[in-house]
Coordinates of all heavy atoms in Angstrom, one line a residue:
M1 N -3.8 6.7 -21.6 CA -2.7 5.8 -21.9 C -2.4 5.0 -20.6 O -2.3 5.5 -19.5 CB -1.4 6.6 -22.3 CG -0.3 5.7 -22.7 SD 1.0 6.7 -23.4 CE 1.7 5.6 -24.5
P2 N -2.3 3.6 -20.8 CA -2.0 2.8 -19.5 C -0.6 3.0 -19.0 O 0.3 3.5 -19.6 CB -2.2 1.4 -20.1 CG -1.9 1.5 -21.5 CD -2.4 2.8 -21.9
K3 N -0.5 2.7 -17.7 CA 0.8 2.8 -17.0 C 1.7 1.7 -17.5 O 1.3 0.7 -18.0 CB 0.6 2.6 -15.5 CG -0.2 3.7 -14.9 CD -0.2 3.5 -13.4 CE -1.0 4.6 -12.7 NZ -1.1 4.3 -11.2
M4 N 3.0 2.0 -17.5 CA 4.0 1.1 -17.8 C 4.2 0.1 -16.7 O 4.2 0.4 -15.6 CB 5.4 1.8 -18.1 CG 5.5 2.6 -19.3 SD 5.5 1.6 -20.8 CE 7.1 0.8 -20.6
K5 N 4.3 -1.2 -17.1 CA 4.4 -2.2 -16.1 C 5.9 -2.4 -15.8 O 6.8 -2.4 -16.7 CB 3.9 -3.6 -16.5 CG 2.4 -3.7 -16.4 CD 1.9 -5.1 -16.6 CE 0.4 -5.2 -16.4 NZ 0.0 -6.6 -16.5
T6 N 6.3 -2.6 -14.5 CA 7.7 -2.9 -14.2 C 8.0 -4.4 -14.5 O 7.1 -5.2 -14.2 CB 7.8 -2.7 -12.6 OG1 7.5 -1.3 -12.3 CG2 9.2 -2.9 -12.2
N7 N 9.1 -4.6 -15.0 CA 9.6 -6.0 -15.3 C 9.8 -6.7 -14.0 O 10.6 -6.2 -13.1 CB 10.9 -5.9 -16.1 CG 11.4 -7.3 -16.5 OD1 11.8 -8.0 -15.6 ND2 11.3 -7.6 -17.7
S8 N 9.1 -7.8 -13.7 CA 9.1 -8.4 -12.4 C 10.4 -9.1 -12.1 O 10.7 -9.2 -10.9 CB 7.9 -9.4 -12.3 OG 7.9 -10.3 -13.4
G9 N 11.2 -9.5 -13.1 CA 12.5 -10.0 -12.8 C 13.5 -8.9 -12.4 O 14.3 -9.1 -11.5
A10 N 13.3 -7.7 -13.0 CA 14.2 -6.6 -12.7 C 13.9 -6.0 -11.3 O 14.8 -5.6 -10.6 CB 14.0 -5.5 -13.7
K11 N 12.6 -6.0 -10.9 CA 12.3 -5.4 -9.6 C 12.9 -6.3 -8.4 O 13.1 -5.8 -7.3 CB 10.8 -5.2 -9.4 CG 10.0 -6.4 -9.3 CD 8.5 -5.9 -9.2 CE 7.6 -7.1 -9.3 NZ 6.2 -6.7 -9.4
K12 N 13.2 -7.6 -8.7 CA 13.8 -8.4 -7.7 C 15.3 -8.3 -7.6 O 15.9 -8.6 -6.7 CB 13.4 -9.9 -7.9 CG 12.0 -10.2 -7.9 CD 11.7 -11.6 -8.4 CE 10.2 -11.7 -8.7 NZ 9.9 -13.0 -9.4
R13 N 15.9 -7.8 -8.7 CA 17.3 -7.8 -8.8 C 18.0 -6.4 -8.6 O 19.2 -6.3 -8.4 CB 17.7 -8.2 -10.2 CG 17.6 -9.7 -10.4 CD 17.8 -10.1 -11.8 NE 17.8 -11.6 -12.0 CZ 16.7 -12.3 -12.1 NH1 15.5 -11.8 -12.1 NH2 16.8 -13.6 -12.2
F14 N 17.2 -5.3 -8.7 CA 17.8 -4.0 -8.6 C 17.1 -3.2 -7.5 O 15.9 -3.3 -7.3 CB 17.7 -3.2 -10.0 CG 18.3 -4.0 -11.1 CD1 17.6 -4.6 -12.1 CD2 19.7 -4.0 -11.2 CE1 18.2 -5.3 -13.1 CE2 20.3 -4.6 -12.3 CZ 19.6 -5.3 -13.2
R15 N 17.9 -2.3 -6.9 CA 17.4 -1.3 -5.9 C 17.9 0.1 -6.2 O 19.0 0.2 -6.8 CB 17.9 -1.7 -4.5 CG 17.4 -3.1 -4.0 CD 16.0 -3.0 -3.5 NE 15.5 -4.3 -3.0 CZ 14.8 -5.1 -3.8 NH1 14.5 -4.8 -5.1 NH2 14.4 -6.3 -3.3
L16 N 17.1 1.1 -5.9 CA 17.6 2.4 -6.1 C 18.3 3.0 -4.8 O 17.8 2.7 -3.7 CB 16.4 3.3 -6.4 CG 15.8 3.3 -7.8 CD1 14.6 4.1 -7.9 CD2 16.8 3.7 -8.8
T17 N 19.3 3.8 -5.0 CA 19.9 4.4 -3.9 C 19.2 5.7 -3.6 O 18.3 6.1 -4.4 CB 21.4 4.8 -4.2 OG1 21.5 5.6 -5.3 CG2 22.2 3.5 -4.5
G18 N 19.6 6.4 -2.6 CA 18.9 7.7 -2.3 C 19.1 8.8 -3.3 O 18.3 9.7 -3.5
T19 N 20.3 8.7 -4.0 CA 20.6 9.7 -5.1 C 20.1 9.3 -6.4 O 20.3 10.0 -7.4 CB 22.1 9.9 -5.1 OG1 22.8 8.7 -5.4 CG2 22.6 10.5 -3.8
G20 N 19.4 8.1 -6.5 CA 18.8 7.7 -7.8 C 19.7 6.8 -8.6 O 19.3 6.4 -9.7
K21 N 20.8 6.4 -8.1 CA 21.6 5.4 -8.8 C 21.0 4.0 -8.6 O 20.2 3.8 -7.7 CB 23.1 5.4 -8.3 CG 23.8 6.7 -8.6 CD 25.1 6.7 -8.0 CE 25.8 8.1 -8.2 NZ 26.9 8.3 -7.4
I22 N 21.4 3.0 -9.4 CA 20.8 1.7 -9.3 C 21.9 0.7 -8.8 O 23.0 0.6 -9.3 CB 20.3 1.2 -10.7 CG1 19.3 2.3 -11.2 CG2 19.7 -0.1 -10.6 CD1 19.0 2.1 -12.7
K23 N 21.5 0.0 -7.7 CA 22.4 -1.0 -7.1 C 22.1 -2.4 -7.7 O 20.9 -2.7 -8.0 CB 22.3 -1.1 -5.6 CG 22.7 0.2 -4.9 CD 22.8 0.0 -3.4 CE 21.4 -0.4 -2.8 NZ 21.5 -0.5 -1.3
R24 N 23.1 -3.3 -7.7 CA 22.9 -4.6 -8.1 C 23.8 -5.5 -7.3 O 24.8 -5.1 -6.7 CB 23.2 -4.8 -9.6 CG 24.7 -4.6 -10.0 CD 25.0 -5.0 -11.4 NE 26.4 -4.8 -11.7 CZ 27.4 -5.6 -11.5 NH1 27.2 -6.7 -10.8 NH2 28.6 -5.2 -11.8
K25 N 23.5 -6.8 -7.3 CA 24.4 -7.8 -6.7 C 25.5 -8.3 -7.7 O 25.3 -8.2 -8.9 CB 23.6 -9.0 -6.2 CG 22.8 -8.7 -5.0 CD 22.3 -9.9 -4.3 CE 21.6 -9.7 -3.0 NZ 21.2 -10.8 -2.3
H26 N 26.6 -8.8 -7.2 CA 27.6 -9.4 -8.0 C 27.2 -10.8 -8.5 O 26.4 -11.5 -7.8 CB 28.9 -9.6 -7.3 CG 29.7 -8.3 -7.2 ND1 30.5 -7.8 -8.1 CD2 29.7 -7.4 -6.2 CE1 31.1 -6.7 -7.7 NE2 30.6 -6.4 -6.5
A27 N 27.6 -11.2 -9.7 CA 27.4 -12.5 -10.2 C 28.5 -13.5 -9.6 O 29.4 -13.0 -8.9 CB 27.5 -12.5 -11.7
Y28 N 28.4 -14.8 -9.9 CA 29.3 -15.8 -9.5 C 29.4 -16.0 -7.9 O 30.4 -16.4 -7.4 CB 30.7 -15.5 -10.0 CG 30.8 -15.2 -11.5 CD1 31.1 -13.9 -11.9 CD2 30.5 -16.2 -12.4 CE1 31.1 -13.7 -13.3 CE2 30.6 -16.0 -13.7 CZ 30.8 -14.7 -14.2 OH 30.8 -14.5 -15.5
H29 N 28.3 -15.8 -7.3 CA 28.3 -16.0 -5.8 C 27.1 -17.0 -5.4 O 26.7 -17.0 -4.3 CB 28.1 -14.7 -5.0 CG 28.4 -14.9 -3.6 ND1 29.6 -15.2 -3.1 CD2 27.6 -14.7 -2.5 CE1 29.5 -15.3 -1.7 NE2 28.3 -15.0 -1.4
S30 N 26.6 -17.8 -6.3 CA 25.5 -18.6 -6.0 C 25.9 -20.1 -5.8 O 25.3 -20.8 -5.0 CB 24.4 -18.5 -7.1 OG 25.0 -18.9 -8.3
H31 N 26.9 -20.6 -6.5 CA 27.3 -22.0 -6.3 C 28.7 -22.2 -6.7 O 29.4 -21.2 -7.2 CB 26.4 -22.9 -7.1 CG 26.4 -22.7 -8.5 ND1 27.2 -23.3 -9.4 CD2 25.7 -21.8 -9.3 CE1 26.9 -22.9 -10.7 NE2 26.0 -21.9 -10.6
I32 N 29.3 -23.4 -6.5 CA 30.7 -23.7 -6.7 C 31.6 -22.7 -6.0 O 32.5 -22.1 -6.5 CB 31.0 -23.8 -8.2 CG1 30.0 -24.6 -9.0 CG2 32.4 -24.4 -8.4 CD1 30.2 -24.6 -10.5
L33 N 31.3 -22.6 -4.7 CA 32.1 -21.6 -3.9 C 33.3 -22.2 -3.2 O 34.1 -21.4 -2.7 CB 31.1 -21.0 -2.8 CG 29.9 -20.3 -3.3 CD1 29.0 -19.9 -2.2 CD2 30.3 -19.0 -4.1
T34 N 33.5 -23.5 -3.3 CA 34.6 -24.1 -2.6 C 35.9 -23.8 -3.2 O 36.9 -23.7 -2.6 CB 34.4 -25.7 -2.6 OG1 34.2 -26.1 -3.9 CG2 33.3 -26.1 -1.7
K35 N 35.9 -23.6 -4.5 CA 37.2 -23.3 -5.2 C 37.5 -21.8 -5.2 O 38.6 -21.4 -5.7 CB 37.2 -23.9 -6.6 CG 36.2 -23.3 -7.6 CD 36.3 -23.7 -9.0 CE 35.7 -25.1 -9.2 NZ 35.6 -25.5 -10.6
K36 N 36.6 -21.0 -4.8 CA 36.8 -19.6 -4.8 C 37.5 -19.1 -3.5 O 37.1 -19.6 -2.4 CB 35.5 -18.8 -5.0 CG 35.0 -19.1 -6.4 CD 33.6 -18.5 -6.6 CE 33.1 -18.9 -8.0 NZ 31.7 -19.0 -8.1
A37 N 38.4 -18.2 -3.6 CA 39.1 -17.7 -2.4 C 38.1 -16.9 -1.5 O 37.1 -16.3 -1.9 CB 40.2 -16.8 -2.8
T38 N 38.4 -16.9 -0.2 CA 37.6 -16.3 0.8 C 37.5 -14.8 0.5 O 36.4 -14.2 0.6 CB 38.2 -16.5 2.2 OG1 38.4 -17.9 2.4 CG2 37.3 -16.0 3.3
K39 N 38.6 -14.2 0.1 CA 38.6 -12.7 -0.2 C 37.7 -12.5 -1.4 O 36.9 -11.5 -1.3 CB 40.0 -12.3 -0.5 CG 40.1 -10.8 -0.8 CD 41.6 -10.5 -1.0 CE 41.8 -9.0 -1.4 NZ 43.2 -8.7 -1.6
R40 N 37.7 -13.3 -2.4 CA 36.9 -13.1 -3.5 C 35.4 -13.3 -3.2 O 34.5 -12.5 -3.6 CB 37.3 -14.2 -4.6 CG 36.5 -14.1 -5.9 CD 37.0 -15.1 -6.8 NE 36.2 -15.2 -8.0 CZ 36.3 -16.2 -8.9 NH1 37.2 -17.2 -8.8 NH2 35.5 -16.3 -9.9
K41 N 35.0 -14.3 -2.4 CA 33.7 -14.5 -2.0 C 33.1 -13.3 -1.2 O 32.0 -12.9 -1.3 CB 33.5 -15.8 -1.2 CG 33.7 -17.1 -2.1 CD 33.4 -18.3 -1.3 CE 34.5 -18.7 -0.4 NZ 34.4 -20.0 0.2
K42 N 34.0 -12.8 -0.3 CA 33.6 -11.7 0.6 C 33.3 -10.5 -0.3 O 32.4 -9.7 0.0 CB 34.7 -11.4 1.6 CG 34.3 -10.6 2.7 CD 35.3 -10.7 3.8 CE 34.8 -10.1 5.1 NZ 35.5 -10.5 6.3
N43 N 34.1 -10.2 -1.3 CA 33.9 -9.1 -2.2 C 32.6 -9.3 -3.1 O 32.0 -8.3 -3.5 CB 35.1 -8.8 -3.1 CG 36.2 -8.1 -2.3 OD1 35.9 -7.3 -1.4 ND2 37.5 -8.5 -2.6
L44 N 32.3 -10.5 -3.4 CA 31.1 -10.8 -4.2 C 29.8 -10.6 -3.4 O 28.8 -10.4 -4.0 CB 31.2 -12.2 -4.8 CG 32.2 -12.5 -5.9 CD1 32.3 -14.0 -6.2 CD2 31.9 -11.7 -7.1
Q45 N 29.9 -10.6 -2.1 CA 28.7 -10.4 -1.3 C 28.2 -8.9 -1.4 O 27.0 -8.7 -1.2 CB 29.0 -10.7 0.2 CG 29.2 -12.1 0.5 CD 29.7 -12.3 2.0 OE1 29.7 -11.4 2.7 NE2 29.9 -13.5 2.3
K46 N 29.1 -8.0 -1.6 CA 28.8 -6.6 -1.6 C 28.0 -6.2 -2.8 O 28.1 -6.7 -3.9 CB 30.1 -5.8 -1.5 CG 30.9 -6.0 -0.3 CD 32.3 -5.3 -0.4 CE 33.2 -5.7 0.8 NZ 34.5 -5.2 0.6
M47 N 27.2 -5.1 -2.6 CA 26.4 -4.6 -3.7 C 27.4 -3.6 -4.5 O 28.3 -3.1 -4.0 CB 25.2 -3.8 -3.2 CG 24.3 -4.6 -2.4 SD 23.2 -5.7 -3.4 CE 22.0 -4.5 -3.9
T48 N 27.0 -3.4 -5.8 CA 27.8 -2.5 -6.6 C 26.8 -1.7 -7.5 O 25.6 -2.1 -7.5 CB 28.8 -3.3 -7.5 OG1 29.6 -2.3 -8.2 CG2 28.1 -4.2 -8.5
L49 N 27.2 -0.8 -8.2 CA 26.3 0.1 -9.0 C 26.3 -0.5 -10.4 O 27.3 -1.0 -10.9 CB 26.8 1.5 -9.0 CG 26.8 2.3 -7.7 CD1 27.4 3.6 -7.8 CD2 25.4 2.3 -7.1
V50 N 25.2 -0.3 -11.1 CA 25.0 -0.6 -12.5 C 25.9 0.3 -13.3 O 25.9 1.5 -13.0 CB 23.5 -0.6 -12.9 CG1 23.3 -0.7 -14.4 CG2 22.7 -1.6 -12.1
S51 N 26.5 -0.2 -14.3 CA 27.4 0.6 -15.1 C 26.6 1.7 -15.9 O 25.4 1.5 -16.2 CB 28.2 -0.2 -16.1 OG 27.4 -0.8 -17.0
A52 N 27.3 2.7 -16.4 CA 26.6 3.8 -17.1 C 26.0 3.3 -18.4 O 25.0 3.8 -18.8 CB 27.6 4.9 -17.3
E53 N 26.6 2.3 -19.0 CA 26.1 1.8 -20.3 C 24.8 1.1 -20.1 O 23.9 1.1 -21.0 CB 27.1 0.9 -21.0 CG 28.4 1.5 -21.4 CD 29.4 1.7 -20.3 OE1 29.2 1.1 -19.2 OE2 30.4 2.5 -20.5
D54 N 24.6 0.4 -19.0 CA 23.4 -0.4 -18.8 C 22.3 0.3 -18.0 O 21.2 -0.2 -17.9 CB 23.8 -1.7 -18.0 CG 24.7 -2.6 -18.8 OD1 24.6 -2.6 -20.0 OD2 25.5 -3.2 -18.1
R55 N 22.7 1.5 -17.5 CA 21.7 2.2 -16.7 C 20.4 2.6 -17.4 O 19.3 2.4 -16.8 CB 22.4 3.5 -16.2 CG 21.8 4.1 -14.9 CD 22.5 5.2 -14.3 NE 23.9 4.8 -13.9 CZ 25.0 5.6 -14.1 NH1 24.9 6.8 -14.7 NH2 26.2 5.1 -13.7
S56 N 20.4 3.0 -18.6 CA 19.2 3.4 -19.3 C 18.3 2.1 -19.6 O 17.1 2.2 -19.4 CB 19.5 4.1 -20.6 OG 20.2 3.2 -21.5
M57 N 18.9 1.0 -19.8 CA 18.1 -0.2 -20.1 C 17.5 -0.7 -18.8 O 16.3 -1.0 -18.8 CB 19.0 -1.3 -20.6 CG 18.3 -2.6 -20.8 SD 19.4 -4.0 -21.3 CE 20.5 -4.1 -19.8
V58 N 18.2 -0.6 -17.7 CA 17.6 -1.0 -16.4 C 16.5 -0.1 -16.0 O 15.5 -0.5 -15.4 CB 18.7 -1.1 -15.3 CG1 18.1 -1.4 -13.9 CG2 19.7 -2.2 -15.7
R59 N 16.7 1.2 -16.2 CA 15.7 2.2 -15.8 C 14.4 1.9 -16.6 O 13.3 2.1 -16.1 CB 16.2 3.6 -16.1 CG 17.2 4.1 -15.1 CD 17.6 5.5 -15.2 NE 16.6 6.4 -14.8 CZ 16.4 6.8 -13.5 NH1 17.2 6.3 -12.6 NH2 15.5 7.6 -13.1
S60 N 14.5 1.5 -17.9 CA 13.3 1.2 -18.7 C 12.6 0.0 -18.2 O 11.4 -0.1 -18.2 CB 13.6 1.1 -20.2 OG 14.5 0.0 -20.4
L61 N 13.4 -1.1 -17.7 CA 12.8 -2.3 -17.1 C 12.1 -2.0 -15.9 O 11.1 -2.6 -15.5 CB 13.9 -3.3 -16.9 CG 14.5 -4.0 -18.1 CD1 15.7 -4.8 -17.7 CD2 13.5 -4.8 -18.9
L62 N 12.6 -1.0 -15.1 CA 12.0 -0.7 -13.8 C 10.9 0.4 -14.0 O 10.3 0.8 -13.0 CB 13.0 -0.1 -12.8 CG 14.1 -1.1 -12.4 CD1 15.1 -0.4 -11.5 CD2 13.4 -2.2 -11.6
A63 N 10.6 0.8 -15.2 CA 9.6 1.8 -15.6 C 9.8 3.1 -14.9 O 8.9 3.7 -14.4 CB 8.2 1.2 -15.3
L64 N 11.1 3.5 -14.8 CA 11.5 4.8 -14.3 C 11.6 5.8 -15.4 O 11.7 5.4 -16.6 CB 12.8 4.7 -13.5 CG 12.8 3.8 -12.3 CD1 14.2 3.6 -11.8 CD2 11.9 4.2 -11.3
K65 N 11.6 7.1 -15.1 CA 11.7 8.1 -16.2 C 13.1 8.0 -16.8 O 14.1 7.8 -16.3 CB 11.6 9.5 -15.6 CG 10.2 9.8 -15.1 CD 10.1 11.2 -14.7 CE 9.3 11.3 -13.5 NZ 9.3 12.7 -12.9

């Protein structure tokens, strides 16, 4: 049986932590930043974890068990 291919869009957007959780970037930080508050933009820079509901879908895109 052939190996599962990793979704190439997903491998650019998600990273695994050491404990196996999946990190992602926040949305709304790419353009139209002038009207957003500095505090909001600073918080959007940080990475966050993928929610529990979406974790299984992302794991299948990344071809993980």
Side-chain angles (χ1 to χ4, degrees):
M1 186 173 208
K3 293 182 181 179
M4 288 288 295
K5 282 193 176 180
T6 301
N7 182 289
S8 51
K11 70 183 172 188
K12 297 168 193 172
R13 288 172 172 83
F14 301 106
R15 296 279 177 266
L16 283 176
T17 63
T19 56
K21 295 175 185 168
I22 304 168
K23 294 192 298 185
R24 67 169 177 85
K25 287 192 172 185
H26 281 277
Y28 307 112
H29 190 64
S30 56
H31 59 95
I32 314 176
L33 298 173
T34 52
K35 64 173 81 170
K36 293 174 185 151
T38 308
K39 182 178 179 181
R40 181 177 171 193
K41 288 187 284 191
K42 199 165 190 161
N43 284 326
L44 289 173
Q45 289 174 4
K46 299 172 185 172
M47 300 284 276
T48 186
L49 295 175
V50 172
S51 66
E53 294 81 13
D54 296 328
R55 204 173 295 141
S56 63
M57 179 186 59
V58 174
R59 287 184 77 81
S60 67
L61 290 172
L62 293 173
L64 302 170
K65 293 186 222 171

